[in-house]
């Protein structure tokens, strides 16, 4: 079967922009995993330097993309135990705890504090001081993780596999012929999610968790779709943008709920900032007003059928090459 040779392994991520019609599932699995692994390692020192929170964000996203890649290609590649998805998940969790604090603190400081009365600003500043202490603890957790033996073993396991990859028999299948099979399961998971049934009027705590889970499902579906976007046409590209919009919308709704819970934990007892709570709740209501037409769209049988049909319309190799070259030109 055709797999990535040792000479090709160094430049394997270039396969992601290839138009070769004879690419195998193994070729592409290697390329995707290689790209995500490089993205994680690239951010390590910058995250530990703690100068710019965006490095933490990029590393967290890379761990999520790698987890998605392992879900997509789990039956194709044979990874060592130290490289399994649960090991990546534990790193992502630690990074996520710190990133969530960064996001909420930035929102409080930049979006809400300037619109509060001076007295309320002082109260909020006390809460922010408490959150800064929490952040120091969370960053210490990130330091321990990225300098610990489990993480070193994780990196070593991927380096070993990338140097001498091991595959199942499925790796020899032609990539183009199995694209719909790869993409259909996550699309089905997305369309069957109970979050689409959550109404706008009144959202309970349980329903908020359901919507948060839908957001995570959207994220996985989007990451997977992005792995293969050069093999599909405009409808597919538009759908990726659509999923990103839904993900951002639901993220803002969840962030508002999480922010209220966070403030309840760190603010002094019996201390409230009614104006802040009202602003957060108003932002949530505005987001949910956008939710109703979106959920109706994804409950529409014709649209759901269109998405399934879209996955069957893999573009010819020549067109895929043009799409890939266009994407690369935009990046550069």
């Amino acid at each position: 079967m055709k797999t990535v040779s040792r000479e090709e392994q160094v430049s394997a991520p270039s396969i992601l922009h290839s138009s070769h019609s004879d690419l195998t599932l193994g070729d592409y699995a290697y390329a995707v995993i290689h790209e995500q692994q490089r993205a994680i390692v690239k951010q390590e020192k910058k995250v530990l330097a703690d100068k710019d929170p965006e490095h933490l964000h990029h590393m967290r996203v890379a761990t999520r993309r790698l987890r998605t890649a392992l879900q997509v290609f789990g039956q194709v590649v044979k990874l060592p135990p130290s490289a399994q998805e649960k090991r990546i998940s534990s790193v992502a969790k630690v990074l996520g705890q710190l990133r969530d604090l960064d996001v909420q603190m930035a929102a409080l400081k930049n979006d809400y504090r300037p619109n509060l009365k001076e007295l309320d600003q002082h109260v909020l500043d006390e809460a922010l001081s408490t959150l800064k202490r929490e952040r120091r603890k969370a960053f210490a957790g990130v330091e321990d993780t990225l300098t610990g033996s489990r993480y070193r073993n994780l990196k070593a396991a991927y380096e070993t596999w990338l140097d001498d990859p091991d595959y199942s028999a499925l790796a020899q299948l032609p990539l183009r012929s199995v694209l719909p099979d790869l993409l259909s399961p996550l699309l089905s998971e997305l369309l069957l999610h109970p979050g689409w049934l959550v109404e706008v009027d009144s959202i309970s705590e349980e329903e908020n968790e359901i919507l948060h889970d839908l957001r995570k499902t959207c994220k996985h579906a989007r990451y997977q779709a992005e792995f293969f976007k050069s093999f599909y046409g405009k409808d597919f590209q538009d759908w990726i943008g659509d999923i990103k919009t839904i993900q951002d919308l639901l993220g803002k709704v969840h962030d508002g709920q999480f922010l209220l819970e966070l403030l309840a934990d760190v603010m002094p007892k019996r201390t409230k900032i009614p104006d802040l709570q009202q602003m957060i709740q108003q932002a949530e209501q505005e987001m949910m007003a956008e939710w109703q037409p979106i959920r109706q769209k994804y409950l529409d049988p014709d649209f759901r059928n269109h998405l399934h049909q879209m996955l069957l319309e893999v573009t010819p190799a020549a067109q895929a090459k043009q799409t890939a070259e266009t994407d690369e030109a935009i990046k550069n």
Side-chain angles (χ1 to χ4, degrees), residues 148-330:
S149 59
R150 286 175 65 87
Y151 182 69
R152 287 197 300 271
N153 292 339
L154 173 68
K155 287 199 300 179
Y158 272 96
E159 289 166 2
T160 299
W161 185 85
L162 288 168
D163 185 58
D164 187 18
D166 190 15
Y167 303 93
S168 73
L170 291 174
Q172 64 188 309
L173 293 174
L175 175 64
R176 289 180 174 276
S177 67
V178 298
L179 282 177
D181 304 311
L182 289 175
L183 289 163
S184 292
L186 266 184
L187 176 61
S188 296
E189 181 185 357
L190 176 67
L191 295 180
L192 290 173
H193 198 284
W196 303 114
L197 302 177
V198 175
E199 298 280 357
V200 173
D201 297 336
S202 177
I203 302 179
S204 65
E205 183 176 343
E206 179 182 359
E207 288 173 328
N208 185 62
E209 286 303 313
I210 291 174
L211 289 178
H212 180 50
D213 189 72
L214 174 58
R215 179 202 180 193
K216 291 190 287 187
T217 302
C218 284
K219 194 175 298 181
H220 285 303
R222 172 190 152 212
Y223 289 162
Q224 182 177 7
E226 287 176 341
F227 291 155
F228 304 106
K229 65 180 181 179
S230 63
F231 295 92
Y232 285 92
K234 186 177 183 302
D235 282 354
F236 192 82
Q237 313 288 334
D238 291 343
W239 178 59
I240 292 176
D242 198 27
I243 291 296
K244 175 67 164 59
T245 299
I246 297 171
Q247 177 189 322
D248 291 344
L249 175 66
L250 295 179
K252 290 176 182 177
V253 173
H254 176 74
D255 286 349
Q257 292 287 335
F258 180 71
L259 187 53
L260 290 173
E261 294 172 6
L262 193 64
L263 287 172
D265 289 337
V266 300
M267 288 179 64
K269 292 183 179 180
R270 295 185 294 277
T271 301
K272 295 183 179 180
I273 309 179
D275 288 349
L276 175 58
Q277 184 169 349
Q278 184 178 356
M279 281 189 284
I280 295 173
Q281 291 174 337
Q282 182 178 348
E284 179 184 324
Q285 291 171 0
E286 291 173 356
M287 293 300 103
M288 291 310 298
E290 299 179 38
W291 169 242
Q292 183 63 16
I294 291 174
R295 64 179 289 270
Q296 291 295 345
K297 175 182 176 181
Y298 275 79
L299 289 172
D300 180 72
D302 290 337
F303 180 70
R304 294 162 78 94
N305 183 62
H306 164 72
L307 291 179
H308 284 289
Q309 290 296 122
M310 176 184 70
L311 298 186
L312 301 175
E313 298 172 358
V314 181
T315 60
Q319 186 175 343
K321 178 181 180 182
Q322 184 177 8
T323 301
E325 290 175 345
T326 302
D327 288 345
E328 196 67 9
I330 292 173

Side-chain angles (χ1 to χ4, degrees), residues 2 6 16 47 61 81 103 121 152 184 186-187 194 209:
K2 180 184 183 298
R6 288 185 179 274
L16 298 178
V47 168
V61 169
V103 170
Q121 287 182 343
R152 287 197 300 271
S184 292
L186 266 184
L187 176 61
E209 286 303 313

